[in-house]
Amino acid sequence: MVIRKAAEFKYSDITPNSVYMNRRKFIGAGSVAVAGATAGWKLLDLSWPSRVALAGTKLNVANKSPFSTSEPQTSYKDVTTYNNYYEFGTGKDEPSKNAHTLRTSPWTVSIDGEVKNRKQLDLDSLMKLAPLEERIYRHRCVEAWSIVVPWIGIPLSALINKLELTPKAKYVAFQSLYDPKQMPLGRSAGIQLPYVEGLRLDEAMHPLAILCFGMYGETLPNQDGAPVRLVVPWKYGFKSIKSIVKISFVEKQPPTTWNIANSQEYGFYSNVNPTVDHPRWSQGTERRLGELRRRKTLMFNGYWDQVGQLYAGMDLKKNY
Ligand SMILES: Nc1nc2c(c(=O)[nH]1)N[C@H]1C(S)=C(S)[C@@H](COP(=O)(O)O)O[C@H]1N2
Ligand SMILES: [Mo]
């Protein structure tokens, strides 16, 4: 086993997904660890049968976060084979089969709109804006399944604080990559692409909202939104937009993909709320992947104490 050291790490070292998945099988999900003082490194595993298995790049995580839940984590297998990523197919098992065609390097994110310093940031610069943190969060899909994932990322506020916004910036709009060559199934996704999402500026500044680059100690697999996605744990999963290429600061509430698709069923806010049912199903309970019995869904997915004040005075039934 050859281990390359921290200084040599660049995000562009990202391994193709197929090879990555092979090594996962080899090391198993159990070897995930918080790397303490060591920096990101790369494993070259020569013992994998008949070929060299390059690693998913290990990410260095400085500290345990007080924002993490101590609930049991969902298995790596479930989180990487049961996905919603319509650009790669609408079946839960399709993204894991198809997303290897996503090219995640080189990758740039454009920052534009109501900001004085519009720019293009590459992944390395984005990841260096703040120390990487592990955030073990509950993730609740609007379809009433849930998972617990050890994400790795930086507070979205770390990016926003580095920018000079104009006084008109009231919302943040996000856009995913849409390249039909890499995402041929996007044409039959049944939703308008590119996928777009948005947050109010104060929601985006909340310490729980993160720009996410990895999970389970390593860079994100393509099907989970590589190389950079949003994670907003108090909102339904569809707000956590994957494979982001553009972040815009805007004055008016921006359009969002599922609201465009069906505004009766999916609102802009989409805070997890067990007391506001989806028109076609109850939001009172959920199925946690890997568990047999359904669980009660918690107010704002269990983050009410932290984020409730963002919505003080708002009618949560109207602002669904
Ligand atoms: N670009 C894009 N982002 C997306 C989606 C998508 O289809 N396309 N699906 C959303 C939905 S509905 C959920 S529940 C989460 C799923 O994330 P996961 O597959 O990593 O669990 O991603 C969200 N982000
Ligand atoms: Mo979802």
Side-chain angles (χ1 to χ4, degrees):
M1 186 184 278
V2 179
I3 297 170
R4 269 218 274 148
K5 283 230 309 293
E8 293 157 0
F9 166 72
K10 282 211 90 200
Y11 193 84
S12 45
D13 289 340
I14 296 296
T15 313
N17 180 258
S18 52
V19 182
Y20 174 86
M21 291 307 284
N22 275 332
R23 196 185 66 91
R24 287 305 315 184
K25 274 190 228 144
F26 179 73
I27 64 170
S31 65
V32 168
V34 176
T38 39
W41 45 339
K42 187 168 172 176
L43 302 174
L44 190 62
D45 193 327
L46 299 168
S47 55
W48 182 256
S50 73
R51 67 165 124 182
V52 175
L54 287 168
T57 306
K58 197 170 194 300
L59 291 177
N60 172 45
V61 177
N63 283 310
K64 283 214 186 303
S65 169
F67 296 118
S68 287
T69 174
S70 56
E71 285 175 52
Q73 296 172 23
T74 303
S75 75
Y76 181 85
K77 181 154 189 276
D78 279 345
V79 175
T80 55
T81 57
Y82 189 95
N83 298 99
N84 274 335
Y85 196 163
Y86 273 38
E87 290 87 332
F88 292 106
T90 55
K92 293 287 178 281
D93 61 341
E94 283 187 277
S96 57
K97 289 176 182 154
N98 300 327
H100 59 272
T101 56
L102 175 66
R103 228 174 31 245
T104 56
S105 175
W107 193 273
T108 49
V109 178
S110 358
I111 312 285
D112 68 14
E114 296 297 338
V115 57
K116 286 182 186 139
N117 33 359
R118 296 181 183 187
K119 59 173 119 199
Q120 307 248 26
L121 287 174
D122 62 22
L123 250 290
D124 282 328
S125 333
L126 263 184
M127 290 176 80
K128 281 178 188 143
L129 289 173
L132 293 178
E133 292 177 44
E134 182 178 64
R135 299 284 184 95
I136 308 169
Y137 283 162
R138 291 173 291 277
H139 172 99
R140 168 57 157 85
C141 177
V142 74
E143 299 162 334
W145 53 269
S146 68
I147 48 185
V148 174
V149 187
W151 307 109
I152 297 170
I154 62 169
L156 178 56
S157 65
L159 166 65
I160 299 175
N161 281 332
K162 293 252 154 59
L163 303 169
E164 242 190 287
L165 305 185
T166 80
K168 284 188 180 162
K170 297 285 184 317
Y171 293 87
V172 193
F174 302 85
Q175 186 179 308
S176 293
L177 177 74
Y178 180 49
D179 176 2
K181 284 198 212 85
Q182 298 176 59
M183 301 159 158
L185 292 176
R187 292 200 183 85
S188 41
I191 52 172
Q192 189 179 299
L193 296 175
Y195 196 100
V196 288
E197 258 306 335
L199 296 171
R200 232 169 47 193
L201 186 57
D202 60 339
E203 296 179 311
M205 289 298 292
H206 193 280
L208 284 177
I210 59 167
L211 271 180
C212 171
F213 307 102
M215 54 188 225
Y216 298 89
E218 298 183 342
T219 50
L220 283 170
N222 290 356
Q223 63 268 36
D224 289 282
V228 56
R229 70 176 296 171
L230 201 64
V231 176
V232 194
W234 69 95
K235 292 178 179 283
Y236 289 120
F238 64 80
K239 300 292 291 181
S240 293
I241 182 173
K242 295 177 169 178
S243 308
I244 298 168
V245 292
K246 190 149 80 108
I247 302 179
S248 312
F249 295 86
V250 296
E251 191 173 7
K252 304 246 157 63
Q253 185 177 297
T256 56
T257 290
W258 282 100
N259 182 253
I260 296 168
N262 189 336
S263 61
Q264 300 300 309
E265 299 190 350
Y266 310 105
F268 175 79
Y269 284 95
S270 291
N271 295 315
V272 175
N273 191 334
T275 72
V276 180
D277 285 338
H278 187 278
R280 291 183 280 132
W281 59 83
S282 161
Q283 293 292 26
T285 64
E286 66 200 53
R287 181 172 69 92
R288 176 76 47 90
L289 300 192
E291 292 183 358
L292 292 173
R293 306 187 49 158
R294 292 183 76 86
R295 305 177 155 248
K296 282 212 161 83
T297 288
L298 305 173
M299 191 60 179
F300 286 22
N301 202 24
Y303 301 100
W304 170 259
D305 286 349
Q306 287 103 308
V307 299
Q309 79 280 1
L310 290 174
Y311 310 100
M314 277 175 63
D315 181 336
L316 297 177
K317 289 205 160 67
K318 278 197 191 126
N319 297 286
Y320 58 86

